Amino acid sequence: MFDIFLSAPHIGENEQALAAEALMANQGKPDLAMLKRFERELAAYTGFKHVAALSSGTAALHLALLVAGVQHGDEVWTSSMTFMGGVSPIVFVGATPVFFDLAADSWTISVDLIEEEMNKGRKPKAILSTDLYGQACDMDRLSALCEKHGVVLISDAAETLGAFRNGRHAGHGSKAAALSFNVNKIITTFGGGALMSDDEAFIRRAEYFSTQARQPAIHYQHTEIGYNYRLSNVSAAIGVGQLQNIEARVARRRAIFARYLEALAKFPALHFMPEPKGSRSTRWLTCLEVTLQSTRTSQHILDFCKAARIETRPLWKPMHMQPVFANTRFVGPGLCERLFANGLCLPSGSAMTDVQQTRVINAVSAALAA
C-alpha cells in the first residue's frame, strides 16, 4: 500500500455542499439543474460554445466518432502513446486505428509524421489527436491539415482541462473535444467526462445518443441504438465545486513540477517532459526520461519508490506494442517506445504536501545514488 499516490483526488468543502444540494433537489423528482450548470460553467471556462457532460471521457470519444460518421472500414489516425480508453472508441465504431509516434519537442502526436503521410496521398476518415500528461497538441497545424484534406479532427483532451496553447484552451480547432473527470484527473466527478464543440447540432446529436437514442414520444420509441452515457446530477454537482478551483489546481501541479525540476537538476540523466513555446501544460503528471546506461534505470527508481511506499508509474505503453493491437500499423521512428522503456511519472496531485514531495525527491535521489 502507498502513502503517497500518483494523483489522488483533491476534494474541498464546496463539493460536499453542492452534492448535498443536488441530492435534496432530486428527492421525489428528477432534477438536472446541477448538470446544466456544470455544462454552462465548463463552456465558459474552456471557451467552447456547447458542452455535454457524460459518464466518462471514453464515452465522449465514442459519441464524437459516432456523430462524426466514422464507421466500419474507416481509418482513424491517433497517437500510439496513450491510455486504452482513448483508443477503444475507434474499435467501438468498427474503424481501424493507425498509430503515430510523438514529436520530440512536446511528447504529443507528431504533426510532421501526419503531414508526411498525407503528402503520400494517404487520408483517414478522422484524426483523434491525443493530449498527453496535461500537454495540448499543436491544434493550429492539425486543424489546418484536416481542413485542407477534408478530415474530421477529434481531440482527446482528457488530461488537459486547464491547458492552453497559443492562447486557446486545449481541444480548440477540433470538431469536438473530450474531457475526463476520472478520480485521478485535474478535477474529478468520481467518474465522468464531457464532450465539447462549437457546433450545437453536433452536441445535441451526442446528447441524443447518450440517453439511449430515445425519440420525443410519450412512450419509449427508438429508431436507433443509443447508450446510457449521461452524467448524473449529483456527479455534476461535485464537478461544479471542483471547477471553481481549476486555476488553483493547475497552478499547484505546475509548482510541483517546477520544484521537481529544480531539486533533481543535479542529475543530468533525468530529462523532463518539454513544454513548447506558447503552451501552458497542466502538468497533470510530472513525466521524465532516465537515460543512465547502468542499473540505475527508470525501473530501479520505480522499485526504490515502491519500497518507500510512494506510487510511481512507467509512461503509457504504446498502443502498437499492446497484444490486442499487434497487427495495426505504426508510423514513426519509435520515440514513444524509447520513452516507455526509460520513462516514469512522479506523484503530482494538487493535494500533495511539500513534505510529501520532499519524500519523493529524496527517494528518487537515493535511487540514483544507490
Side-chain angles (χ1 to χ4, degrees), residues 91 199 215 225 263 329 345:
V91 182
D199 185 338
Q215 298 289 319
I225 297 296
R329 189 161 69 94
C345 309

Side-chain angles (χ1 to χ4, degrees), residues 182-324:
N182 194 23
V183 68
N184 62 354
K185 292 300 189 292
I186 301 292
I187 71 167
T188 184
T189 58
F190 291 91
L195 187 63
M196 311 182 293
S197 178
D198 288 334
D199 185 338
E200 181 177 9
F202 195 96
I203 293 298
R204 297 290 87 84
R205 182 75 170 159
E207 286 179 340
Y208 161 74
F209 281 117
S210 77
T211 53
Q212 305 287 12
R214 181 181 173 184
Q215 298 289 319
I218 194 170
H219 55 278
Y220 291 98
Q221 173 122 336
H222 304 271
T223 59
E224 298 173 281
I225 297 296
Y227 307 88
N228 185 19
Y229 282 170
R230 208 73 164 103
L231 189 69
S232 77
N233 198 54
V234 174
S235 294
I238 297 171
V240 169
Q242 288 271 291
L243 190 58
Q244 291 172 354
N245 295 309
I246 179 63
E247 285 298 306
R249 299 289 191 262
V250 171
R252 176 58 183 156
R253 287 183 190 254
R254 288 182 62 82
I256 287 168
F257 175 86
R259 187 175 178 219
Y260 278 135
L261 191 65
E262 180 180 7
L264 298 173
K266 60 186 176 182
F267 299 107
L270 300 185
H271 305 276
F272 288 83
M273 185 178 188
E275 186 176 56
K277 184 179 180 181
S279 292
R280 186 188 82 165
S281 169
T282 64
R283 297 297 184 186
W284 172 53
L285 296 179
T286 290
C287 302
L288 53 89
E289 182 185 14
V290 184
T291 58
L292 280 170
Q293 299 299 315
S294 71
T295 58
R296 292 171 299 192
T297 61
S298 59
Q299 186 60 54
H300 179 69
I301 297 172
L302 290 164
D303 292 341
F304 210 95
C305 287
K306 183 178 180 180
R309 302 172 66 87
I310 297 167
E311 184 183 20
T312 54
R313 190 178 296 169
L315 299 185
W316 298 124
K317 183 175 184 177
M319 288 293 110
H320 75 278
M321 297 176 68
Q322 298 283 359
V324 71

Side-chain angles (χ1 to χ4, degrees), residues 78-82 99-101 317-321 330 336:
T78 192
S79 174
S80 187
M81 179 166 272
T82 186
F99 297 116
F100 280 74
D101 209 349
K317 183 175 184 177
M319 288 293 110
H320 75 278
M321 297 176 68
F330 171 69
C336 60

